Amino acid sequence: MVRRIPLLLLLAACQTRSTAPPKTTTPSAPAKSPASMSHGEATINNPAVPLERAADAPARSTSHLHYVRLRTVHISRVIAPGVVYQAWTFDSVVPAPTVRVTVGDTVDFTLVNGSPIPHSIDFHAAQIAPSRAYVNVNPKDSIHFRFVARVPGVFMYHCGTAPVALHISNGMFGALIVDPVTPRPPAREFVLVQSEYYLAPTHDSTAPRSLDWQRMLDLSPDYVVFNGVYAQYAAHPIQVEPGELLRFYVVDAGPNRVSSFHVVGAIFERVFVDGTGPPQLGVQTASVPVGGGMIFETRLAEPGLYPFVSHSFADATKGAVGVLRAGNPPGSASH
Ligand SMILES: [Cu+2]
């Protein structure tokens, strides 16, 4: 017979036997909320945070042949107030440009390496031999191939050069929407790509920051962001209308943290995992896996400010938060 040990006694015994040194620095929770609204993990209407780009999805194209040409470029870019990062990019933006095609379309792809180190590409929407298409491209060189997008959904694409975690953390990822042949219902559409930054310490406050490999291995990001910048859509809320259908194409580029996507004050009417199969109905939160993409549809019931977050709240605190401004609400939310 198994003798049950009370949990508290077990915990006390474990603590007694522990040989780990006591922690010398323990961060404490902020004493003051940064925002006036519940779940407002970041300041709303904050001009100190750059708006990297609008979250709007590109319009659906009627073309059946899409020429996509990406150039790898290393640039410095602002990722949070006062924080400049030495980013590796496709076309000088993070995330990389959103590509949008329809099932059955052909993507004619060219990658040009305008950077000083090898890079590559990996389209999750393609069914293709990586040994042919996803090979390293040296500086000043290029690669060209075609693929047919056969499965609807929103797919990650990224640099696949080892170590992949380094290339993704530095900014080499984007979203590719594959629309079904029969269009989805009309909606306001947005693309949100979640990712992480791991900052190496620096003594030069003016120098661009770079990745801290150990922090990445420890899964301890400094920032978790939507579309490349800390809390940019809290600082610059996204204007929508109450009652209109909203559709979010959410990709989690990681490289490590699952996105538990949630809109405060709303319930998702439909959630599509990679856009295939029947949707899940009436969902409060759904986890987008790292390297995955999901499509979320919802409506906001009344005028107001509606935060959207990764409900892994350490990550929301680190910047995975935005705000939808429905209609013209009088002030912010009450709690
Ligand atoms: Cu790369």
Side-chain angles (χ1 to χ4, degrees):
M1 181 179 165
V2 177
R3 185 170 167 236
R4 294 182 188 277
I5 303 172
L7 181 60
L8 283 175
L9 283 179
L10 193 60
L11 285 173
C14 288
Q15 285 169 354
T16 304
R17 280 199 298 268
S18 172
T19 56
K23 287 184 177 177
T24 53
T25 58
T26 304
S28 56
K32 207 173 171 186
S33 170
S36 61
M37 176 171 53
S38 75
H39 301 80
E41 302 301 315
T43 306
I44 298 174
N45 300 322
N46 180 4
V49 178
L51 180 62
E52 175 85 4
R53 63 174 166 198
D56 300 83
R60 185 177 168 146
S61 168
T62 56
S63 172
H64 296 301
L65 174 59
H66 305 263
Y67 291 95
V68 177
R69 182 181 185 278
L70 297 176
R71 184 168 183 268
T72 60
V73 187
H74 293 189
I75 59 166
S76 295
R77 53 186 295 278
V78 176
I79 62 167
V83 181
V84 178
Y85 192 82
Q86 182 59 47
W88 299 352
T89 75
F90 294 108
D91 281 9
S92 302
V93 289
V94 178
T98 299
V99 180
R100 188 162 191 173
V101 306
T102 300
V103 168
D105 289 359
T106 296
V107 175
D108 181 291
F109 177 70
T110 303
L111 179 68
V112 177
N113 192 342
S115 85
I117 65 171
H119 289 296
S120 60
I121 194 73
D122 175 345
F123 285 107
H124 290 195
Q127 292 152 298
I128 197 168
S131 54
R132 174 171 71 85
Y134 300 163
V135 296
N136 283 340
V137 178
N138 285 319
K140 299 181 181 175
D141 206 348
S142 65
I143 192 171
H144 170 263
F145 60 86
R146 285 185 167 191
F147 68 91
V148 176
R150 301 188 187 282
V151 178
V154 59
F155 295 87
M156 181 181 179
Y157 71 87
H158 62 94
C159 178
T161 297
V164 176
L166 170 63
H167 289 247
I168 290 175
S169 295
N170 278 353
M172 305 193 80
F173 54 82
L176 191 158
I177 299 169
V178 183
D179 285 305
V181 173
T182 302
R184 300 182 190 278
R188 281 289 306 282
E189 296 189 321
F190 304 99
V191 176
L192 298 173
V193 184
Q194 182 176 312
S195 68
E196 301 131 33
Y197 292 106
Y198 302 84
L199 304 185
T202 179
H203 299 295
D204 181 356
S205 61
T206 62
R209 307 294 289 273
S210 57
L211 178 129
D212 186 307
W213 185 249
Q214 189 59 50
R215 285 183 73 92
M216 194 285 299
L217 292 178
D218 292 342
L219 313 183
S220 182
D222 294 272
Y223 297 106
V224 182
V225 302
F226 291 123
N227 291 351
V229 175
Y230 165 89
Q232 62 182 316
Y233 306 119
H236 309 274
I238 298 171
Q239 182 68 47
V240 299
E241 295 306 319
E244 73 173 331
L245 181 61
L246 308 177
R247 180 174 298 121
F248 298 90
Y249 297 93
V250 180
V251 164
D252 189 351
N256 297 316
R257 301 285 304 166
V258 168
S259 181
S260 299
F261 191 64
H262 175 77
V263 177
V264 181
I267 295 173
F268 297 118
E269 294 179 10
R270 305 198 298 173
V271 175
F272 297 85
V273 178
D274 281 339
T276 61
Q280 290 183 283
L281 306 179
V283 178
Q284 57 185 310
T285 302
S287 291
V288 183
V290 180
M294 290 167 59
I295 301 170
F296 298 79
E297 294 180 350
T298 192
R299 300 171 202 269
L300 307 182
E302 58 178 331
L305 301 175
Y306 295 73
F308 59 90
V309 294
S310 173
H311 217 284
S312 304
F313 258 96
D315 296 345
T317 304
K318 293 176 178 178
V321 58
V323 171
L324 301 165
R325 185 176 187 271
N328 191 19
S332 60
S334 60
H335 60 284

